[in-house]
Amino acid sequence: MKIYELIAEWEKHAAPKKSAREFTLKLPLYDAARILALSEMYPAKSEGQIITELLGAALDELEESFPYVKGETVIAEDEYKDPIYEDIGLTPLFLRKAQEHVEQLELALQETPASAQ
């Protein structure tokens, strides 16, 4: 999700998805002030929701910015029948590791009593 799409989503007041894990962090002063400014601009969103959704959008953009590294295996053909080679760069590594953590987090969520979710 792009940042501009996130703002449009905030206008709709969408609810975030929950995770089994919590992260605690201290923000730099100016970043904290900007989060507080956004929470005033979008009062239906909590500070935590704003941080969560901004982080998600930033991670989406980070994933898109990983450079493509051409592998040797042809995985498809484009509309001109030219070969498309697998990406052996950071994108597949990131996606694989993220999926591993999704599975771990889902397991932890299943093990969490319903009253704690």
Side-chain angles (χ1 to χ4, degrees):
M1 176 181 291
K2 298 284 187 188
I3 299 295
Y4 67 86
E5 294 171 325
L6 180 60
I7 293 170
E9 190 66 27
W10 285 350
E11 296 293 331
K12 296 178 190 176
H13 309 292
K17 296 178 184 176
K18 294 185 180 181
S19 171
R21 185 165 175 182
E22 228 176 90
F23 296 86
T24 303
L25 55 108
K26 290 189 180 205
L27 296 174
L29 181 69
Y30 189 65
D31 291 344
R34 293 189 291 179
I35 296 299
L36 293 171
L38 286 169
S39 69
E40 286 182 21
M41 294 168 60
Y42 298 96
K45 292 287 181 183
S46 70
E47 294 159 8
Q49 288 173 315
I50 290 170
I51 292 167
T52 299
E53 293 171 10
L54 279 172
L55 180 59
L59 288 168
D60 288 345
E61 288 190 27
L62 173 70
E63 181 181 324
E64 291 173 9
S65 73
F66 288 137
Y68 166 77
V69 179
K70 179 181 170 182
E72 294 182 14
T73 304
V74 176
I75 58 169
E77 292 180 343
D78 66 13
E79 63 272 11
Y80 302 107
K81 303 293 184 198
D82 293 324
I84 299 173
Y85 293 88
E86 71 178 324
D87 184 349
I88 59 169
L90 294 174
T91 302
L93 174 64
F94 177 71
L95 293 175
R96 188 172 54 253
K97 290 191 171 294
Q99 184 57 41
E100 290 170 6
H101 288 287
V102 164
E103 292 167 9
Q104 291 172 0
L105 291 169
E106 285 176 341
L107 268 174
L109 192 57
Q110 291 172 1
E111 294 170 359
T112 304
S115 60
Q117 292 181 11

